[in-house]
Amino acid sequence: MTDLNEQDIQPPQNIEVPSQLPMLPVRDIVVFPYMVLPLFVGRDMSIKAIEAALAGNRMIFLATQKALDVENPAPKDIHTVGTAGIIMRMLKLPDERIKILVQGIAKAKINKYIQTDPYYSVRIDKVPDTKPTATPLEAEAVMRTVKEQIERIVSLGKVLIPDVMVVIENLEEPGRLADMVASNLGLKVDITQAVLEIADPIRRLRQVSDILGKEIEVLSMQQKIQAQAKGEMDKTQREYFLREQLKAIQKELGELDERAEEVTEFRKRIKDAKMPEKVLKEAEKQLKRLEKMHPDTAESATVRTYLEWMVELPWSKRSKDNLELKAAAKVLNADHYDLEKVKERILEYLAVRKLKEKMKGPILCFVGPPGVGKTSLGKSIAKALGREFVRISLGGVRDEAEIRGHRRTYVGALPGRIIQGMKQAGTSNPVFMLDEVDKVGMDFRGDPSAALLEVLDPEQNTAFTDHYLGVPFDLTEVMFITTANLIDPILPALRDRMEIIEIPGYTEEEKLGIAQRYLIPRQLDEHGITNKHVQLSEPAIRQIISHYTREAGVRNLEREIANVMRKVAKKVAEGKGQGFSIDPSNLNKYLGVSKYVPEAELEQDETGVATGLAWTEAGGDVLYIEATVMKGKGQLTLTGHLGDVMKESAQAALSYVRSREKSLNIDPSVFSKQDLHIHVPAGAIPKDGPSAGITMATAIASAFSGIPTRRDLAMTGEITLRGRVLPIGGLKEKILAAKRAKLTTVILPRRNKKDLEEIPKHLLKGIQLAFVDTMDDVIKIALRRRGKTPPTSKKQPASPAPARIRPLRSGKGRLSHELPATVMTDRVPARS
């Protein structure tokens, strides 16, 4: 508000307020009559209203918005009572806003909105003050009370412009006094608006008096609180001087100084830590700073915390490795079933350490589906090596400071998780597990994956520098192990620094061994029962594996075993028996009905149906592809929630079949007279990947030629237009899926034959592998040529129908009740 004096608040003489005026909605202030104030206008509607007023008699109606945050207020968002004013000055600002100086003329009320676009124009009725209902004596008393209250508020610290105080002191009209006080107190808009809308001047002045009374109470309490705070501050200063005097007296008496004792203790711990030379210089520098600081300052607390971290880190402490290969192998075999490749890699590391004392720690990355034992394997490795084990989870980490730490200039700064883990380990050569490295995120706070490059690069982590410490820390002796479910999300540069070891899913035989060796004994112990209380037969375990779980790992298998143990423990606790034998006949009493039942999908060889193999995050899966022809115009329809890669594979497969119409004895005219529909069941699940090409081509060839496909056979591979079969990834997972489905033959690309060396031989028992180079080879194997395959008879039993595990209840886009909707993908050869 501008400075006022008695002359300023006099309105222009002989100004008649018209009944129709442009309206300017104001946000955070209520304009009163006789009030002069500047306004900054930026909204287009408001600017046009001002231009309309300046083009006429310079008068405008000022009404307050009910809500400040409404950018384009409607009539319902604006108070009806406002003030008619006159624009005294106008200035256009460089930012396209307008600054005006406006003076209130008279109070008015909106009668009707005449115009709403491009600006508001309203018809108004003047609202004059009513005749006071109080006696002159009563009016004089109220006015004196208000003036005294104003003086009291100013004495309590409320700032009012001196000119305003002069004007208030000289006002003799109750209505104008109320308006002047209400407009200068800085009250909330709704309170000030309520004062404006009161027509009776004495009643309006009493309302202002009540507001002043509440304001006096608030200011009095505020002054009391400030006085108490000042008293506390004086007390603190007094205690400081007394404490300094006490220290001087203690020094004269020869008593030990606390600060000197703390510095001496830090100096001893720094010496015992055996820090590198560069780190030692920084620690001694900070200790000298602490020695010169007053112990009560905030800076000394920061330096003290920094020194605590420096002396507690394991700069030179290291554990002695257990280099006995047989003992380490015994520990690994006792804790984990199979995983020969991982165990061999650890034993190789121990062998090299035995021959060469100084070597850089390996950086391994265990990749595999959930539940295969990646994290627990890290604990076993630490146990086998005789080292400390530290684990941190990187899932969802988005701040780079979580890895590198915060700078000490920030309040509450701490080192990053790497340095915190090293402090937790207490040695410089622990087994450090970085879990879920594929789930690291990034945002405006940086990329933690990029920060991990320095940690996991053997050439750089000799001098890993945390932002909090500011000095290098040697991580070369640390054995870093990372885990991931997928390789793709990992930053390529980070992936390059790690040795990838894939841990695929387990077969039924492997799960049986894991359950008998580890899961059942552990669950017996956790539920307080023994083998005397319950016997879980091998057929029952197999039934749990095949009928109650569907996963690559064993996490859900352990849950189901725990479910059995809980029910047995309850019966034992209730005294209903001691020895319970569980076999397939009574398993459903403990676990309920089977969640997955083997269903014979193909009772006999059928045309237009081919069995493919797919890779998922949970391991391999069987994929049935159906093709059918019908009368039409040669259109191709694809259903089953297929991705772009599978759609293109279907187009390529159709083109291949059309190019082989003679060898397949297909009438060329059918391609223009019949439509082809390809469908992959489980349509709610997204599917994509390049491994379904030959399966689609086989289904199409069978549908058009009328030759049935073999029901005991599955295949995987991509197809080119020339009919070449390209290699695929995830070979072990796909073979496991074929074994689970009881299929006897699997067609594979010949270029994948080299990958069989990494697959245990026992997995290949009972399965015949057919390696092919071209799609012609696939057709020869997959289609039952008439006259070449003897028909099924009672004397010659048919090959068993493939069993497909299906969930009894399909969830909303879920493959099973444990797994989320899984995208059927296939890894490229470089990842296989």
Side-chain angles (χ1 to χ4, degrees):
M1 178 171 291
T2 57
D3 294 345
L4 301 176
N5 53 43
E6 187 63 26
Q7 183 178 357
D8 290 330
I9 63 173
Q10 296 296 331
Q13 299 296 323
N14 302 323
I15 294 181
E16 182 67 25
V17 178
S19 61
Q20 181 177 338
L21 288 175
M23 185 183 73
L24 176 65
V26 292
R27 290 182 194 256
D28 53 354
I29 196 169
V30 178
V31 182
F32 284 83
Y34 306 98
M35 183 177 177
V36 178
L37 77 161
L39 292 176
F40 291 88
V41 182
R43 292 184 285 194
D44 292 338
M45 180 183 293
S46 301
I47 292 174
K48 290 176 181 176
I50 291 172
E51 291 173 351
L54 293 174
N57 53 12
R58 303 175 68 89
M59 296 195 70
I60 194 166
F61 184 69
L62 304 163
T64 306
Q65 291 182 202
K66 294 179 181 178
L68 303 181
D69 55 350
V70 178
E71 185 64 27
N72 297 308
K76 65 179 181 179
D77 300 323
I78 303 172
H79 289 287
T80 56
V81 178
T83 302
I86 186 168
I87 300 174
M88 303 171 66
R89 293 178 186 173
M90 189 272 286
L91 176 65
K92 291 187 177 180
L93 301 177
D95 58 356
E96 298 184 352
R97 292 188 302 164
I98 293 178
K99 180 180 180 182
I100 61 172
L101 186 66
V102 64
Q103 179 178 5
I105 302 298
K107 190 188 305 183
K109 183 176 183 180
I110 298 174
N111 184 303
K112 183 180 179 182
Y113 281 83
I114 299 172
Q115 175 181 314
T116 58
D117 188 51
Y119 60 88
Y120 282 122
S121 178
V122 294
R123 181 175 287 115
I124 59 174
D125 297 328
K126 288 185 64 176
V127 183
D129 283 349
T130 60
K131 187 176 181 180
T133 56
T135 62
L137 184 62
E138 186 179 357
E140 180 65 20
V142 176
M143 291 181 65
R144 287 187 182 183
T145 300
V146 170
K147 292 179 181 179
E148 289 173 0
Q149 287 175 320
I150 287 291
E151 292 175 355
R152 172 68 174 154
I153 281 179
V154 172
S155 68
L156 289 173
K158 186 77 173 181
V159 179
L160 289 180
I161 299 173
D163 291 345
V164 172
M165 291 296 299
V166 174
V167 172
I168 290 174
E169 192 64 32
N170 294 325
L171 283 175
E172 297 298 333
E173 296 178 19
R176 289 185 58 185
L177 177 60
D179 293 347
M180 178 62 70
V181 173
S183 62
N184 283 276
L185 278 182
L187 303 174
K188 293 182 179 179
V189 172
D190 53 348
I191 298 175
T192 313
Q193 180 68 29
V195 173
L196 178 68
E197 293 179 1
I198 300 174
D200 187 345
I202 297 299
R203 186 162 156 258
R204 187 157 75 244
L205 192 58
R206 284 175 176 166
Q207 179 71 17
V208 171
S209 178
D210 293 341
I211 295 171
L212 291 172
K214 294 178 182 177
E215 190 71 11
I216 288 172
E217 291 179 5
V218 173
L219 291 172
S220 299
M221 181 59 68
Q222 183 179 348
Q223 193 177 57
K224 182 179 178 182
I225 293 171
Q226 290 175 348
Q228 290 177 347
K230 184 179 179 182
E232 291 291 331
M233 190 180 301
D234 293 340
K235 180 181 177 183
T236 303
Q237 291 176 344
R238 186 168 60 255
E239 289 176 353
Y240 169 75
F241 287 119
L242 291 173
R243 195 176 292 109
E244 289 297 315
Q245 289 176 352
L246 180 62
K247 289 180 180 178
I249 294 171
Q250 287 177 338
K251 187 175 181 181
E252 290 294 329
L253 294 175
E255 296 180 0
L256 190 61
D257 186 4
E258 292 181 4
R259 189 191 312 174
E261 183 182 5
E262 182 183 39
V263 171
T264 303
E265 178 67 19
F266 269 126
R267 187 169 283 113
K268 181 178 180 298
R269 294 174 69 183
I270 289 173
K271 183 179 179 181
D272 294 341
K274 297 180 181 179
M275 302 175 180
E277 183 178 354
K278 186 175 181 180
V279 181
L280 181 62
K281 288 182 180 179
E282 179 65 21
E284 291 177 344
K285 175 183 175 183
Q286 295 299 326
L287 185 60
K288 289 179 182 178
R289 289 186 61 207
L290 179 65
E291 195 172 7
K292 296 176 182 178
M293 290 179 183
H294 190 277
D296 294 334
T297 61
E299 182 70 13
S300 68
T302 302
V303 176
R304 192 178 294 112
T305 305
Y306 176 76
L307 287 173
E308 289 283 353
W309 276 98
M310 292 285 280
V311 298
E312 290 179 5
L313 285 173
W315 299 99
S316 57
K317 296 178 183 177
R318 58 188 310 277
S319 58
K320 187 177 181 181
D321 285 344
N322 176 22
L323 300 178
E324 291 297 327
L325 301 185
K326 291 184 179 179
K330 186 176 180 181
V331 172
L332 292 173
N333 290 328
D335 289 349
H336 283 271
Y337 185 85
D338 197 24
L339 303 180
E340 299 301 330
K341 185 177 179 180
V342 183
K343 295 175 183 177
E344 184 65 23
R345 179 64 183 85
I346 302 306
L347 295 177
E348 289 172 359
Y349 169 74
L350 284 176
V352 176
R353 277 282 290 113
K354 195 170 184 177
L355 300 175
K356 180 179 173 63
E357 185 176 353
K358 290 287 185 180
M359 67 169 293
K360 297 176 181 178
I363 297 168
L364 308 178
C365 180
F366 297 155
V367 179
V372 295
K374 301 184 294 296
T375 304
S376 60
L377 188 60
K379 295 180 182 178
S380 297
I381 292 172
K383 184 178 176 182
L385 294 173
R387 295 188 178 188
E388 296 293 329
F389 178 73
V390 182
R391 174 191 170 274
I392 64 173
S393 177
L394 300 178
V397 172
R398 294 177 176 273
D399 191 353
E400 180 192 354
E402 292 281 340
I403 307 299
R404 293 185 180 273
H406 300 81
R407 301 191 184 278
R408 295 200 303 276
T409 52
Y410 297 116
V411 176
L414 281 175
R417 292 196 183 188
I418 303 299
I419 295 299
Q420 290 182 33
M422 296 303 297
K423 178 185 174 184
Q424 178 186 344
T427 61
S428 62
N429 62 335
V431 174
F432 205 123
M433 174 159 280
L434 303 173
D435 234 345
E436 312 292 356
V437 74
D438 58 330
K439 298 175 181 62
V440 176
M442 65 175 291
D443 59 11
F444 63 94
R445 292 168 290 188
D447 185 358
S449 294
L452 283 172
L453 295 177
E454 184 182 1
V455 177
L456 299 180
D457 191 338
E459 302 301 324
Q460 299 182 44
N461 62 12
T462 54
F464 170 70
T465 303
D466 186 274
H467 289 161
Y468 181 84
L469 297 182
V471 292
F473 190 93
D474 189 359
L475 297 174
T476 51
E477 292 190 347
V478 180
M479 184 174 187
F480 284 104
I481 299 176
T482 63
T483 69
N485 296 129
L486 298 171
I487 299 180
D488 288 337
I490 303 176
L491 191 71
L494 182 61
R495 190 191 316 160
D496 180 63
R497 285 160 170 79
M498 299 185 294
E499 181 180 342
I500 306 295
I501 299 178
E502 295 192 6
I503 305 178
Y506 297 113
T507 63
E508 183 176 319
E509 295 297 328
E510 290 170 338
K511 288 183 180 180
L512 176 64
I514 293 171
Q516 291 175 331
R517 289 193 186 185
Y518 308 105
L519 305 184
I520 293 177
R522 182 162 63 207
Q523 291 304 319
L524 286 172
D525 181 63
E526 290 185 2
H527 290 83
I529 55 179
T530 64
N531 289 325
K532 296 179 181 180
H533 298 103
V534 60
Q535 286 292 331
L536 199 58
S537 67
E538 180 177 317
I541 300 173
R542 289 183 182 274
Q543 189 163 334
I544 294 174
I545 294 170
S546 60
H547 287 63
Y548 291 89
T549 63
R550 185 180 187 181
E551 57 177 341
V554 292
R555 192 169 286 153
N556 286 314
L557 175 58
E558 185 169 12
R559 289 194 187 104
E560 297 298 336
I561 293 174
N563 196 3
V564 172
M565 299 303 176
R566 283 197 305 271
K567 289 179 169 52
V568 171
K570 181 184 175 185
K571 290 183 179 182
V572 173
E574 292 175 347
K576 294 182 179 180
Q578 288 293 327
F580 295 91
S581 179
I582 301 174
D583 52 42
S585 62
N586 62 357
L587 183 62
N588 60 345
K589 294 180 181 180
Y590 295 88
L591 297 180
V593 296
S594 300
K595 297 176 182 176
Y596 308 98
V597 291
E599 179 182 338
E601 295 246 346
L602 300 176
E603 297 291 345
Q604 58 185 7
D605 298 338
E606 296 182 13
T607 59
V609 181
T611 306
L613 297 172
W615 181 91
T616 71
E617 292 183 18
D621 195 14
V622 174
L623 201 65
Y624 291 91
I625 295 179
E626 303 171 355
T628 185
V629 293
M630 64 206 82
K631 289 184 178 181
K633 298 180 180 179
Q635 295 181 351
L636 173 62
T637 304
L638 301 172
T639 56
H641 211 326
L642 306 183
D644 292 338
V645 176
M646 287 190 75
K647 291 178 181 177
E648 292 172 0
S649 295
Q651 296 281 358
L654 178 58
S655 298
Y656 165 78
V657 173
R658 294 185 65 176
S659 69
R660 296 295 192 275
E661 56 189 20
K662 291 183 180 179
S663 61
L664 293 171
N665 296 325
I666 301 174
D667 184 1
S669 63
V670 300
F671 295 110
S672 60
K673 295 180 180 180
Q674 291 184 327
D675 291 342
L676 175 64
H677 185 168
I678 299 176
H679 177 67
V680 183
I685 302 169
K687 311 170 190 73
D688 201 8
S691 68
I694 66 172
T695 315
M696 288 184 170
T698 303
I700 295 171
S702 174
F704 277 114
S705 66
I707 304 173
T709 57
R710 291 173 54 184
R711 66 181 183 275
D712 61 340
L713 175 142
M715 62 193 76
T716 180
E718 177 61 315
I719 185 177
T720 67
L721 288 177
R722 294 175 294 166
R724 293 183 59 209
V725 179
L726 302 181
I728 46 85
L731 189 60
K732 180 179 177 182
E733 290 88 344
K734 293 178 179 179
I735 292 177
L736 288 177
K739 288 199 71 172
R740 283 198 300 266
K742 305 294 189 293
L743 300 174
T744 59
T745 305
V746 177
I747 297 177
L748 300 172
R750 189 174 299 278
R751 289 169 64 184
N752 282 112
K753 192 171 184 178
K754 58 180 175 52
D755 300 327
L756 291 179
E757 297 178 2
E758 298 184 0
I759 299 178
K761 301 302 180 185
H762 68 273
L763 293 186
L764 303 178
K765 290 182 180 179
I767 280 196
Q768 181 181 355
L769 302 180
F771 294 93
V772 296
D773 292 310
T774 64
M775 190 62 209
D776 295 336
D777 300 332
V778 177
I779 295 297
K780 291 176 184 177
I781 300 170
L783 298 187
R784 296 279 196 189
R785 296 278 182 174
R786 292 182 178 88
K788 292 189 178 182
T789 304
T792 303
S793 64
K794 293 182 180 179
K795 295 181 180 179
Q796 184 178 357
S799 57
R804 185 186 182 197
I805 304 299
R806 270 192 170 180
L808 289 177
R809 302 177 299 274
S810 60
K812 296 180 180 178
R814 292 183 178 267
L815 183 62
S816 68
H817 78 292
E818 309 95 10
L819 296 175
T822 308
V823 179
M824 301 287 188
T825 60
D826 192 358
R827 297 174 291 181
V828 296
R831 298 175 58 194
S832 60

